Amino acid sequence: DAPAEAEDAIEGELDELAEGMEEAGEEAGEAGDAADGAELEGDLDDLAGEVAEQEAEEAEEALEAEDGLLAGEEGAGDEEESGEIEGLEKALAEVDGEGADLDLAEPEEEAAPEPAEEEEEADDDDDAAVIPNHLQDAVEGSLRLKRMLSQDSVPGAAAKKRKLDEPRPIIQAKVRQILQKFQSTTDVVMKFVLDQASVEELQYLLSGNFIPNKYDQRKTAPELCAQHLIQNRERKLGGGSRIDVISAFKLRWNLGLEAEKLLRGLSHKDLRHVITSYDGSASLQDVIAEASAKEVEDEDGDTVHAVPHGLGVKVMSRFNRLELIDPFADAAVFGDANLTFSLNLCKHRRDFGHVGRVIATTFEEVETLRERYQEIDQSIKTLESQHAEVYHGVDCTRIAIDPRFDGLEGKLGAVYYNFPHSGAIQGFFDSNPMVNWRHENLMRLFFRALRSFVKPGGIVKVASNSGAVGVRYSYIVGSALENEFLHVETMPFMEWHLHRYGRSYGDRRDVTRRPDAKNNQSYNAQNANADMVYCFSFDPSGDVLPKQQIRLPPPLSVLSQCKDGPFKHYPPGVNLPARTALAKQLHERFLKEVSGIHVGNPSVRRLRRLAQRRPQHAAAATRGTQLARMYARMWPWSELARTCALACVGRR
């Protein structure tokens, strides 16, 4: 049935194309303006070319599906199917009027990449096979994203996978209407952004007055459209700035102002009982009366019941800021580049007499850390002397398949991830839809992975800037809520007891910009007053959650036609081999990132090591770095930058 459905879809598209071109021809004849007619004819030619490419891709998919369905059978039916495809090709040529031909690949050529596809799927199956059943859900989204990127390099495989994940009919119908409204029918990046929107979001764009500004000096039209959709989602989550415990509770249950007034007058004992016991089944007034009648519990060493008659909102806010966590549970820190936050946490837990361990992790390997932070070995030694464990090369989205985390299921009482980021890509702003999907998936997969390792009632704190355009606050809060982590409070970072640590950039800039924990002056790339700490508490319901939603990465076909970022140096239609090579390099980087492989700048690191080994060439090495950066700006990801830099230190 798959080839028949594909052919029916092609015939439907051909009919729509013929009707659209006939209507466009009538309008052009009525206009009578030769210049307008020529312009319309050019638009029709572009539309016909795009449809020809789309039909060619669908025809290739149909042929590939047909080969799989007819494997092992006699080839008598192949001639009939080939005749039908040829008939469709002739029909499209007649409609186009320009003799546009379908570029159909031969079945033998299409079948060549199948072993590679099967090999990739086998690798993913092997990864999933070694994971216990109770941890499969923690890493399923990460493996699915890796498989999707791997299949994108195999012709036809990615298209089949995406068709299974997308509600094509209704989405595509609305996408066409919006593209016509935006006058962006030929913008593949805009289509990529709209394809990932929900039906409600597409209807919101159709019914609203928003039209992206194509002449914006800083952001492209697809980026403005994606930003508009994100801001619409964020209205449902509240703001990204300060939200106290009562405001967060009010937002969670959609309470009114009268309920908020009642809550703000409660004592610590009553407010904590209401927040932990209220489930919507009884009225808020009944739960408050129950809390008032409850006697004060006095348990030795239990900080939860401290200051029972104090003002509830003030005491609970201080509770979060002073970091009064479970003294017996383990605490994990992810993405701590220079390990200064882990040192601060160890000292805090030691002063409070905690017996739980601190697990400090870094994304980079220790060799890279030694290049950036001269004190890293001493920091590791200090942590280990305080019975902490230090793990390097840890991907927080794939801890379920990391053997170092075996046996930690349900034992983490506190998790920290400060200022998460998926890494900058030269030429792109973090908000660009070609790279922003990485930041959103980072948070979604991070919280899904934590579900198997955080114990019920455990806390998770993620620090970020409220105005960040990479990992936006909505990605943090939304991903937490999807995975049953309750939003408890959003507090200013500077009011947090653990904020005094040596913040760093987490990349090669740390080589020259040394961390200084005093007054938090080591990092000044953003407004410190806008830094927030988003606090969550794990409250599992026991129900089986659906598969983790992920933001789809751009396929190679979209990357190769991108017009901004590093691709702006290659205008469409000019230097196509270089543009294609750049798209493949960027796609390979995406694949490495989702596989947990760190992607750095080896040429610059190697250049600095050579300068240290050869002091007499230090000046040449500095010049080589300048030349490398200059060429990198002109031709990103080019071997010319590396060659020039190494030549300046006498290696070539």
Side-chain angles (χ1 to χ4, degrees):
D1 295 335
E5 293 177 0
E7 291 162 9
D8 293 338
I10 293 175
E11 291 178 358
E13 292 290 340
L14 289 174
D15 294 337
E16 294 179 3
L17 176 64
E19 295 175 1
M21 296 186 70
E22 289 177 0
E23 294 176 1
E26 294 175 0
E27 294 176 0
E30 294 174 0
D33 191 337
D36 293 341
E39 182 180 357
L40 180 59
E41 182 178 358
D43 294 339
L44 291 175
D45 292 339
D46 293 341
L47 180 60
E50 289 178 5
V51 175
E53 293 177 0
Q54 180 180 1
E55 300 301 331
E57 293 177 359
E58 295 181 356
E60 290 174 1
E61 297 167 12
L63 287 175
E64 185 178 358
E66 178 187 2
D67 291 339
L69 290 173
L70 300 182
E73 298 182 1
E74 296 182 359
D78 293 342
E79 297 178 358
E80 297 179 3
E81 298 293 340
S82 177
E84 293 178 3
I85 297 298
E86 291 176 0
L88 292 173
E89 180 180 356
K90 294 179 180 179
L92 181 61
E94 294 175 358
V95 173
D96 184 59
E98 296 292 336
D101 296 330
L102 287 173
D103 186 12
L104 296 178
E106 295 295 332
E108 292 77 12
E109 297 178 358
E110 192 72 32
E114 288 183 0
E117 177 187 353
E118 294 175 357
E119 182 179 355
E120 293 291 348
E121 293 180 356
D123 293 341
D124 292 335
D125 292 340
D126 293 340
D127 291 340
V130 300
I131 307 173
N133 292 333
H134 65 284
L135 293 179
Q136 291 281 349
D137 182 65
V139 76
E140 183 274 335
S142 180
L143 295 179
R144 178 155 42 99
L145 186 61
K146 176 184 175 183
R147 188 183 305 115
M148 187 178 301
L149 284 168
S150 301
Q151 292 175 338
D152 199 16
S153 59
V154 181
K160 292 189 298 183
K161 181 64 178 176
R162 292 174 189 273
K163 280 194 172 184
L164 296 176
D165 293 338
E166 299 176 357
R168 304 299 299 177
I170 187 171
I171 292 292
Q172 289 304 315
K174 293 184 178 296
V175 165
R176 290 193 190 97
Q177 297 177 14
I178 297 175
L179 289 176
Q180 293 175 0
K181 176 182 178 181
F182 291 170
Q183 298 181 0
S184 303
T185 54
T186 60
D187 193 337
V188 294
V189 180
M190 178 68 78
K191 185 177 185 302
F192 166 74
V193 172
L194 296 176
D195 281 341
Q196 300 197 70
S198 64
V199 177
E200 293 76 10
E201 291 173 339
L202 294 177
Q203 186 60 38
Y204 167 73
L205 291 177
L206 282 174
S207 59
N209 298 323
F210 170 78
I211 296 180
N213 182 12
K214 296 184 179 180
Y215 304 102
D216 191 276
Q217 297 296 322
R218 291 181 56 86
K219 298 182 179 180
T220 61
E223 188 174 352
L224 291 173
C225 181
Q227 177 181 335
H228 183 70
L229 291 175
I230 292 173
Q231 291 174 348
N232 180 54
R233 300 187 206 116
E234 290 176 345
R235 295 190 184 99
K236 305 175 183 178
L237 297 176
S241 57
R242 181 198 300 259
I243 297 178
D244 60 23
V245 291
I246 292 181
S247 298
F249 182 77
K250 171 189 171 184
L251 185 64
R252 185 191 316 161
W253 294 105
N254 195 22
L255 302 177
L257 293 177
E258 294 297 329
E260 182 179 0
K261 292 179 181 179
L262 290 176
L263 294 173
R264 293 196 178 277
L266 297 180
S267 64
H268 175 213
K269 173 183 72 70
D270 296 345
L271 180 60
R272 186 173 292 276
H273 177 81
V274 171
I275 290 179
T276 56
S277 302
Y278 182 76
D279 57 2
S281 59
S283 65
L284 182 63
Q285 289 75 8
D286 293 341
V287 178
I288 293 176
E290 179 183 348
S292 301
K294 187 176 180 181
E295 297 182 357
V296 178
E297 298 182 11
D298 186 11
E299 298 183 8
D300 296 337
D302 192 351
T303 57
V304 174
H305 300 94
V307 197
H309 301 294
L311 185 60
V313 60
K314 182 177 180 179
V315 174
M316 294 191 69
S317 297
R318 292 288 293 168
F319 194 91
N320 290 328
R321 285 161 174 74
L322 291 176
E323 210 58 32
L324 303 178
I325 61 177
D326 187 349
F328 304 103
D330 296 336
V333 182
F334 291 101
D336 192 9
N338 55 14
L339 296 177
T340 54
F341 180 82
S342 299
L343 288 171
N344 198 10
L345 180 62
C346 275
K347 181 179 181 300
H348 171 77
R349 302 202 72 180
R350 182 191 61 192
D351 295 342
F352 276 66
H354 293 187
V355 297
R357 297 177 301 169
V358 172
I359 302 174
T361 71
T362 66
F363 183 63
E364 296 84 358
E365 297 294 344
V366 67
E367 294 79 12
T368 304
L369 297 176
R370 289 186 178 122
E371 295 175 4
R372 300 176 182 174
Y373 317 105
Q374 298 178 359
E375 73 284 358
I376 194 65
D377 288 326
Q378 182 60 37
S379 299
I380 295 174
K381 184 178 179 181
T382 303
L383 287 171
E384 292 177 345
S385 66
Q386 299 183 14
H387 308 288
E389 298 184 9
V390 183
Y391 300 150
H392 302 291
V394 175
D395 185 351
C396 63
T397 66
R398 298 167 64 88
I399 57 178
I401 57 178
D402 193 327
R404 293 170 292 187
F405 285 83
D406 289 346
L408 289 178
E409 296 86 346
K411 294 184 178 180
L412 296 181
V415 176
Y416 306 90
Y417 194 0
N418 294 330
F419 301 94
H421 197 273
S422 291
I425 295 182
Q426 186 177 7
F428 284 113
F429 290 106
D430 287 340
S431 59
N432 193 288
M434 293 292 96
V435 297
N436 187 257
W437 61 272
R438 301 155 56 247
H439 303 293
E440 184 173 1
N441 286 339
L442 172 64
M443 288 292 95
R444 286 182 166 181
L445 299 178
F446 168 68
F447 279 100
R448 179 54 64 100
L450 290 184
R451 283 181 52 83
S452 301
F453 293 90
V454 177
K455 70 175 189 177
I459 67 169
V460 177
K461 293 187 176 180
V462 181
S464 183
N465 191 273
S466 59
V469 296
V471 179
R472 304 178 66 98
Y473 81 89
S474 59
Y475 297 166
I476 301 173
V477 178
S479 300
L481 296 179
E482 288 178 358
N483 292 282
E484 299 183 334
F485 287 87
L486 301 180
H487 184 201
V488 176
E489 184 180 8
T490 299
M491 62 183 178
F493 179 78
M494 300 301 292
E495 296 180 6
W496 192 20
H497 181 65
L498 299 179
H499 82 273
R500 293 184 178 89
Y501 71 97
R503 289 181 58 185
S504 61
Y505 292 93
D507 53 31
R508 60 179 180 269
R509 289 175 291 180
D510 291 332
V511 176
T512 56
R513 303 185 185 184
R514 303 306 307 141
D516 177 18
K518 185 177 180 181
N519 298 323
N520 198 39
Q521 294 298 317
S522 61
Y523 185 89
N524 56 2
Q526 55 194 19
N527 183 12
N529 294 326
D531 292 340
M532 297 290 160
V533 181
Y534 301 92
C535 309
F536 306 95
S537 176
F538 186 39
D539 185 23
S541 63
D543 299 333
V544 178
L545 298 185
K547 286 186 177 182
Q548 176 61 60
Q549 296 181 359
I550 57 176
R551 185 67 61 181
L552 300 180
L556 272 173
S557 58
V558 174
L559 281 175
S560 59
Q561 299 184 58
C562 182
K563 299 179 182 179
D564 55 342
F567 294 92
K568 63 184 178 184
H569 302 291
Y570 307 100
V574 180
N575 202 357
L576 291 179
R579 170 181 281 271
T580 303
L582 178 58
K584 290 182 178 180
Q585 291 177 14
L586 191 58
H587 181 268
E588 290 174 358
R589 170 170 178 169
F590 293 160
L591 181 57
K592 290 180 180 179
E593 288 178 347
V594 301
S595 302
I597 302 175
H598 177 67
V599 181
N601 190 345
S603 61
V604 175
R605 293 201 301 268
R606 184 178 180 184
L607 181 61
R608 286 174 174 154
R609 287 198 300 268
L610 292 174
Q612 293 174 358
R613 295 174 186 174
R614 300 185 180 185
Q616 66 273 21
H617 294 299
T622 302
R623 177 59 179 163
T625 303
Q626 296 173 355
L627 290 174
R629 291 175 178 172
M630 180 184 68
Y631 283 116
R633 286 194 299 267
M634 298 173 63
W635 298 285
W637 292 282
S638 173
E639 284 295 323
L640 183 58
R642 182 173 179 270
T643 302
C644 177
L646 295 178
C648 289
V649 293
R651 292 300 297 261
R652 292 187 182 178

PDB file of all heavy atoms in Angstrom, residues 266-283:
ATOM      1  N   LEU A 266      -0.657  33.087  55.862  1.00  0.00           N
ATOM      2  CA  LEU A 266      -0.497  31.851  56.623  1.00  0.00           C
ATOM      3  C   LEU A 266       0.880  31.771  57.265  1.00  0.00           C
ATOM      4  O   LEU A 266       1.859  32.365  56.791  1.00  0.00           O
ATOM      5  CB  LEU A 266      -0.699  30.641  55.707  1.00  0.00           C
ATOM      6  CG  LEU A 266      -2.079  30.469  55.078  1.00  0.00           C
ATOM      7  CD1 LEU A 266      -2.112  29.232  54.199  1.00  0.00           C
ATOM      8  CD2 LEU A 266      -3.159  30.386  56.154  1.00  0.00           C
ATOM      9  N   SER A 267       0.954  31.004  58.333  1.00  0.00           N
ATOM     10  CA  SER A 267       2.232  30.730  58.993  1.00  0.00           C
ATOM     11  C   SER A 267       3.008  29.682  58.206  1.00  0.00           C
ATOM     12  O   SER A 267       2.492  29.063  57.265  1.00  0.00           O
ATOM     13  CB  SER A 267       1.994  30.243  60.420  1.00  0.00           C
ATOM     14  OG  SER A 267       1.296  28.998  60.395  1.00  0.00           O
ATOM     15  N   HIS A 268       4.249  29.475  58.618  1.00  0.00           N
ATOM     16  CA  HIS A 268       5.089  28.501  57.919  1.00  0.00           C
ATOM     17  C   HIS A 268       4.485  27.108  57.985  1.00  0.00           C
ATOM     18  O   HIS A 268       4.425  26.385  56.983  1.00  0.00           O
ATOM     19  CB  HIS A 268       6.496  28.510  58.534  1.00  0.00           C
ATOM     20  CG  HIS A 268       7.404  27.472  57.966  1.00  0.00           C
ATOM     21  ND1 HIS A 268       8.378  26.837  58.708  1.00  0.00           N
ATOM     22  CD2 HIS A 268       7.482  26.932  56.712  1.00  0.00           C
ATOM     23  CE1 HIS A 268       9.019  25.979  57.946  1.00  0.00           C
ATOM     24  NE2 HIS A 268       8.496  26.006  56.735  1.00  0.00           N
ATOM     25  N   LYS A 269       4.001  26.721  59.159  1.00  0.00           N
ATOM     26  CA  LYS A 269       3.420  25.386  59.318  1.00  0.00           C
ATOM     27  C   LYS A 269       2.207  25.207  58.406  1.00  0.00           C
ATOM     28  O   LYS A 269       2.085  24.195  57.704  1.00  0.00           O
ATOM     29  CB  LYS A 269       3.021  25.174  60.780  1.00  0.00           C
ATOM     30  CG  LYS A 269       2.258  23.886  61.041  1.00  0.00           C
ATOM     31  CD  LYS A 269       1.844  23.787  62.488  1.00  0.00           C
ATOM     32  CE  LYS A 269       0.726  24.754  62.822  1.00  0.00           C
ATOM     33  NZ  LYS A 269      -0.561  24.342  62.181  1.00  0.00           N
ATOM     34  N   ASP A 270       1.317  26.182  58.414  1.00  0.00           N
ATOM     35  CA  ASP A 270       0.095  26.052  57.622  1.00  0.00           C
ATOM     36  C   ASP A 270       0.376  26.138  56.125  1.00  0.00           C
ATOM     37  O   ASP A 270      -0.205  25.390  55.335  1.00  0.00           O
ATOM     38  CB  ASP A 270      -0.893  27.149  58.032  1.00  0.00           C
ATOM     39  CG  ASP A 270      -1.338  27.012  59.482  1.00  0.00           C
ATOM     40  OD1 ASP A 270      -1.117  25.931  60.055  1.00  0.00           O
ATOM     41  OD2 ASP A 270      -1.883  27.996  60.022  1.00  0.00           O
ATOM     42  N   LEU A 271       1.251  27.044  55.733  1.00  0.00           N
ATOM     43  CA  LEU A 271       1.535  27.202  54.310  1.00  0.00           C
ATOM     44  C   LEU A 271       2.205  25.958  53.745  1.00  0.00           C
ATOM     45  O   LEU A 271       1.859  25.510  52.639  1.00  0.00           O
ATOM     46  CB  LEU A 271       2.419  28.427  54.086  1.00  0.00           C
ATOM     47  CG  LEU A 271       2.792  28.718  52.629  1.00  0.00           C
ATOM     48  CD1 LEU A 271       1.549  28.956  51.790  1.00  0.00           C
ATOM     49  CD2 LEU A 271       3.740  29.907  52.544  1.00  0.00           C
ATOM     50  N   ARG A 272       3.122  25.372  54.468  1.00  0.00           N
ATOM     51  CA  ARG A 272       3.783  24.165  53.971  1.00  0.00           C
ATOM     52  C   ARG A 272       2.789  23.016  53.859  1.00  0.00           C
ATOM     53  O   ARG A 272       2.850  22.216  52.915  1.00  0.00           O
ATOM     54  CB  ARG A 272       4.944  23.793  54.888  1.00  0.00           C
ATOM     55  CG  ARG A 272       5.785  22.636  54.377  1.00  0.00           C
ATOM     56  CD  ARG A 272       7.015  22.429  55.238  1.00  0.00           C
ATOM     57  NE  ARG A 272       7.966  23.530  55.101  1.00  0.00           N
ATOM     58  CZ  ARG A 272       8.877  23.623  54.133  1.00  0.00           C
ATOM     59  NH1 ARG A 272       8.935  22.673  53.198  1.00  0.00           N
ATOM     60  NH2 ARG A 272       9.708  24.631  54.084  1.00  0.00           N
ATOM     61  N   HIS A 273       1.865  22.923  54.819  1.00  0.00           N
ATOM     62  CA  HIS A 273       0.853  21.864  54.741  1.00  0.00           C
ATOM     63  C   HIS A 273      -0.059  22.068  53.528  1.00  0.00           C
ATOM     64  O   HIS A 273      -0.402  21.101  52.835  1.00  0.00           O
ATOM     65  CB  HIS A 273       0.015  21.855  56.027  1.00  0.00           C
ATOM     66  CG  HIS A 273      -1.088  20.845  56.013  1.00  0.00           C
ATOM     67  ND1 HIS A 273      -0.892  19.511  56.294  1.00  0.00           N
ATOM     68  CD2 HIS A 273      -2.430  20.975  55.714  1.00  0.00           C
ATOM     69  CE1 HIS A 273      -2.031  18.863  56.187  1.00  0.00           C
ATOM     70  NE2 HIS A 273      -2.991  19.727  55.841  1.00  0.00           N
ATOM     71  N   VAL A 274      -0.437  23.314  53.261  1.00  0.00           N
ATOM     72  CA  VAL A 274      -1.316  23.582  52.119  1.00  0.00           C
ATOM     73  C   VAL A 274      -0.603  23.250  50.809  1.00  0.00           C
ATOM     74  O   VAL A 274      -1.175  22.605  49.909  1.00  0.00           O
ATOM     75  CB  VAL A 274      -1.779  25.050  52.138  1.00  0.00           C
ATOM     76  CG1 VAL A 274      -2.506  25.394  50.844  1.00  0.00           C
ATOM     77  CG2 VAL A 274      -2.690  25.306  53.328  1.00  0.00           C
ATOM     78  N   ILE A 275       0.643  23.669  50.671  1.00  0.00           N
ATOM     79  CA  ILE A 275       1.364  23.458  49.414  1.00  0.00           C
ATOM     80  C   ILE A 275       1.602  21.975  49.156  1.00  0.00           C
ATOM     81  O   ILE A 275       1.527  21.506  48.011  1.00  0.00           O
ATOM     82  CB  ILE A 275       2.692  24.242  49.440  1.00  0.00           C
ATOM     83  CG1 ILE A 275       2.405  25.750  49.368  1.00  0.00           C
ATOM     84  CG2 ILE A 275       3.604  23.827  48.298  1.00  0.00           C
ATOM     85  CD1 ILE A 275       3.638  26.620  49.404  1.00  0.00           C
ATOM     86  N   THR A 276       1.873  21.202  50.208  1.00  0.00           N
ATOM     87  CA  THR A 276       2.159  19.779  50.024  1.00  0.00           C
ATOM     88  C   THR A 276       0.893  18.925  49.950  1.00  0.00           C
ATOM     89  O   THR A 276       0.941  17.820  49.404  1.00  0.00           O
ATOM     90  CB  THR A 276       3.040  19.270  51.169  1.00  0.00           C
ATOM     91  OG1 THR A 276       2.393  19.550  52.430  1.00  0.00           O
ATOM     92  CG2 THR A 276       4.398  19.955  51.146  1.00  0.00           C
ATOM     93  N   SER A 277      -0.241  19.414  50.488  1.00  0.00           N
ATOM     94  CA  SER A 277      -1.445  18.581  50.568  1.00  0.00           C
ATOM     95  C   SER A 277      -2.509  18.940  49.547  1.00  0.00           C
ATOM     96  O   SER A 277      -3.332  18.087  49.185  1.00  0.00           O
ATOM     97  CB  SER A 277      -2.057  18.668  51.977  1.00  0.00           C
ATOM     98  OG  SER A 277      -1.129  18.276  52.962  1.00  0.00           O
ATOM     99  N   TYR A 278      -2.538  20.154  49.090  1.00  0.00           N
ATOM    100  CA  TYR A 278      -3.616  20.578  48.195  1.00  0.00           C
ATOM    101  C   TYR A 278      -3.473  19.881  46.837  1.00  0.00           C
ATOM    102  O   TYR A 278      -2.406  19.904  46.210  1.00  0.00           O
ATOM    103  CB  TYR A 278      -3.563  22.093  48.010  1.00  0.00           C
ATOM    104  CG  TYR A 278      -4.685  22.632  47.138  1.00  0.00           C
ATOM    105  CD1 TYR A 278      -5.977  22.750  47.624  1.00  0.00           C
ATOM    106  CD2 TYR A 278      -4.429  23.028  45.824  1.00  0.00           C
ATOM    107  CE1 TYR A 278      -6.998  23.240  46.836  1.00  0.00           C
ATOM    108  CE2 TYR A 278      -5.440  23.526  45.033  1.00  0.00           C
ATOM    109  CZ  TYR A 278      -6.723  23.631  45.532  1.00  0.00           C
ATOM    110  OH  TYR A 278      -7.729  24.123  44.741  1.00  0.00           O
ATOM    111  N   ASP A 279      -4.565  19.246  46.395  1.00  0.00           N
ATOM    112  CA  ASP A 279      -4.562  18.556  45.107  1.00  0.00           C
ATOM    113  C   ASP A 279      -5.748  18.939  44.236  1.00  0.00           C
ATOM    114  O   ASP A 279      -5.967  18.326  43.184  1.00  0.00           O
ATOM    115  CB  ASP A 279      -4.548  17.038  45.308  1.00  0.00           C
ATOM    116  CG  ASP A 279      -5.723  16.548  46.146  1.00  0.00           C
ATOM    117  OD1 ASP A 279      -6.572  17.385  46.539  1.00  0.00           O
ATOM    118  OD2 ASP A 279      -5.790  15.330  46.409  1.00  0.00           O
ATOM    119  N   GLY A 280      -6.544  19.933  44.643  1.00  0.00           N
ATOM    120  CA  GLY A 280      -7.673  20.371  43.849  1.00  0.00           C
ATOM    121  C   GLY A 280      -8.960  19.648  44.131  1.00  0.00           C
ATOM    122  O   GLY A 280     -10.033  20.078  43.663  1.00  0.00           O
ATOM    123  N   SER A 281      -8.918  18.534  44.870  1.00  0.00           N
ATOM    124  CA  SER A 281     -10.145  17.777  45.149  1.00  0.00           C
ATOM    125  C   SER A 281     -11.006  18.470  46.200  1.00  0.00           C
ATOM    126  O   SER A 281     -12.232  18.379  46.166  1.00  0.00           O
ATOM    127  CB  SER A 281      -9.798  16.361  45.607  1.00  0.00           C
ATOM    128  OG  SER A 281      -8.992  16.393  46.772  1.00  0.00           O
ATOM    129  N   ALA A 282     -10.392  19.151  47.141  1.00  0.00           N
ATOM    130  CA  ALA A 282     -11.117  19.887  48.174  1.00  0.00           C
ATOM    131  C   ALA A 282     -10.869  21.379  47.975  1.00  0.00           C
ATOM    132  O   ALA A 282      -9.945  21.796  47.275  1.00  0.00           O
ATOM    133  CB  ALA A 282     -10.665  19.450  49.569  1.00  0.00           C
ATOM    134  N   SER A 283     -11.700  22.181  48.603  1.00  0.00           N
ATOM    135  CA  SER A 283     -11.539  23.627  48.472  1.00  0.00           C
ATOM    136  C   SER A 283     -10.307  24.087  49.236  1.00  0.00           C
ATOM    137  O   SER A 283      -9.859  23.430  50.187  1.00  0.00           O
ATOM    138  CB  SER A 283     -12.791  24.345  48.993  1.00  0.00           C
ATOM    139  OG  SER A 283     -12.934  24.126  50.391  1.00  0.00           O
TER     140      SER A 283
END
